Amino acid sequence: MKYLIGLDIGTSSTKAIAFDLLGNIISKSNIGYPILNPKPSWSEQNPDEMLVAVINSIRTVIDENDNKGNELLGVSFSAAMHGIIAVNEKGEKLTDCIIWADTRSTQVSESIKNSEIGHEIYMRTGTPIHPMSPLCKITWMRDNMKEVFKNTSKFISIKEYVFFKLFGKYVVDYSIASATGLFDIYDLAWNKNSLEVAGINKDKLSLPVPPTQIFKGMNKKYAELMGIDVDTAFVIGASDGCLANLGANAIKPGDAAVTIGTSGAIRIIAEKPKNDESERIFSYILTEDHFVLGGPVNNGGIIFRWFRDNFSQIERATAESLGIDTYELLTKEASKVPAGANGLIFLPYLLGERAPHWDANSKGVFFGINITHKREHFLRALLEGVIFGVYSVGKALEETTGNIDTIYATGGFVRSELWVQMLSDVFNKKVVVAESYESSCLGAVVIGMKAIGLINNIEEVEKLVPIAQTFTPNIKNHEVYMKTFEIYERLYLKLKDEFVSIGLLQK
């Protein structure tokens, strides 16, 4: 059997998934690593740990398929956006990978956004100006890590770090580049205004290449560690968010993909970029002919994990004894409560927020607590709050790009029927779940198939994505949610200034 590996370097883990040529999963490996928080607003990861996860996950899948006599055709990459690593002339890290959740550059981002060229940078790069953006992170490093900044040879993402180690070249795909705030999505080149703001030239950044670019001639040491030939085709691929749309087959007009993993997002695919004058949404590149428009939320599954890790010790022990997932127990608990959680509302901004507010100062809030509320109400409100966050972005997206008809759900949250039904109820739209929710890895494989000539265009993904489940909205629940959502939106506006004040006490 011939197969390709889709490799996704994510925030929580790196996944290597082997797909046959019909899009079926034949083996997988998943290796996790921690998020480091050395200071309250800092979120980092060790790129060397992530590199080891890449090598070991690929090795695991290779070994399993070698034992079956299967033939590897190539490896294609997906990776998280917005991370930045400073490296020296030898390619050694001077910093850990500063990830999307890091908000240390909040003041810098506000300064750039309010400058004379801030809006122009957004309109040319498609990336909202926010602490997630490598533009803001590099500018912050220039002013606050002066010695590191001076000794930096390149500012790169985690995928670039991996490709440099494997092939000795600094390259970045158009898709990852388009999420930096440094890349002109119209000219497919580094943006001069962005470079000037950050105080760097293009030599400090990698060479931009198409997502279908193939690399061969890997460093022999890493090839041996992976158990593959040095001339195995490695396709650089694209970003995880863009590939999630592709892998979910959400590529036609009226289709949207909602992904909730660690964070979350809602996105559509269009032939051209379309930026929002109000700067609420992004325009990222999937390929030169496919642009992904949408918005990310910082607070997705990480909110559920926060609740599990801090308030569910008994449930975790029970789940372990029963051999089931803790989240399954927690979801059952939340299902005891009706839509709207009996008036308990949760603003899920534990990591600040990106779209549509782009407010790194925002904080989490439980509102409306009364004496009748129990633990299950808090759980229900928590899950609903995450969906409300996505819905607020969906509203902005529809205002900019037109109506959404069908939502394709992807990411770890699809394992919870309750959570997916909430999505359908809140949006009042049909929600479709594919048989495999590993859409970023499958999307990477589709790009790989296109690169090595197995398919003529990425629209052929439709043949590879069978539908497992369809959810339709409960109108009564939708009506409750809309009343609740009105309060949810007003709460943010009323508390916006107070988030800044409370933030000063938390430093």
Side-chain angles (χ1 to χ4, degrees), residues 263-465:
S263 57
I266 180 169
R267 304 168 300 267
I268 66 163
I269 289 182
E271 293 179 357
K272 297 179 181 179
K274 187 171 183 179
N275 295 323
D276 174 23
E277 285 291 339
S278 300
E279 302 185 18
R280 293 172 296 177
I281 67 170
F282 57 64
S283 287
Y284 296 152
I285 297 172
L286 173 58
T287 73
E288 297 94 316
D289 303 315
H290 299 83
F291 288 80
V292 176
L293 319 179
V297 296
N298 273 3
N299 304 278
I302 197 169
I303 301 293
F304 208 2
R305 187 170 71 183
W306 166 79
F307 193 94
R308 180 201 68 180
D309 292 348
N310 292 284
F311 307 106
S312 306
Q313 286 79 6
I314 294 174
E315 288 74 14
R316 293 187 75 174
T318 302
E320 287 178 10
S321 66
L322 296 174
I324 62 175
D325 189 355
T326 308
Y327 294 123
E328 186 178 337
L329 284 183
L330 296 179
T331 301
K332 284 183 178 178
E333 193 174 347
S335 68
K336 299 174 184 176
V337 177
N342 289 348
L344 183 60
I345 298 174
F346 178 57
L347 302 189
Y349 308 138
L350 300 193
L351 289 171
E353 190 52 289
R354 288 184 284 175
H357 306 302
W358 302 100
D359 183 0
N361 293 309
S362 56
K363 301 289 185 291
V365 175
F366 278 104
F367 176 79
I369 305 169
N370 66 46
I371 199 69
T372 69
H373 287 132
K374 300 177 182 179
R375 174 193 165 83
E376 54 261 36
H377 293 91
F378 285 85
L379 264 171
R380 177 96 192 194
L382 181 144
L383 297 176
E384 291 176 348
V386 171
I387 300 299
F388 284 152
V390 176
Y391 180 64
S392 64
V393 184
K395 286 180 61 183
L397 185 58
E398 286 192 308
E399 289 171 14
T400 307
T401 65
N403 288 339
I404 294 167
D405 300 319
T406 302
I407 295 173
Y408 291 77
T410 72
F413 93 112
V414 302
R415 286 173 285 193
S416 166
E417 289 191 10
L418 174 67
W419 219 356
V420 179
Q421 185 63 54
M422 282 182 191
L423 179 69
S424 179
D425 293 348
V426 170
F427 274 83
N428 196 27
K429 298 182 190 296
K430 180 175 73 173
V431 175
V432 174
V433 178
E435 274 188 16
S436 169
Y437 55 84
E438 302 291 4
S439 55
S440 292
C441 287
L442 179 57
V445 162
V446 173
I447 292 290
M449 287 180 168
K450 174 71 166 61
I452 64 179
L454 292 175
I455 58 176
N456 294 318
N457 57 69
I458 64 172
E459 282 75 14
E460 293 185 44
V461 67
E462 186 172 7
K463 298 181 294 187
L464 307 177
V465 187

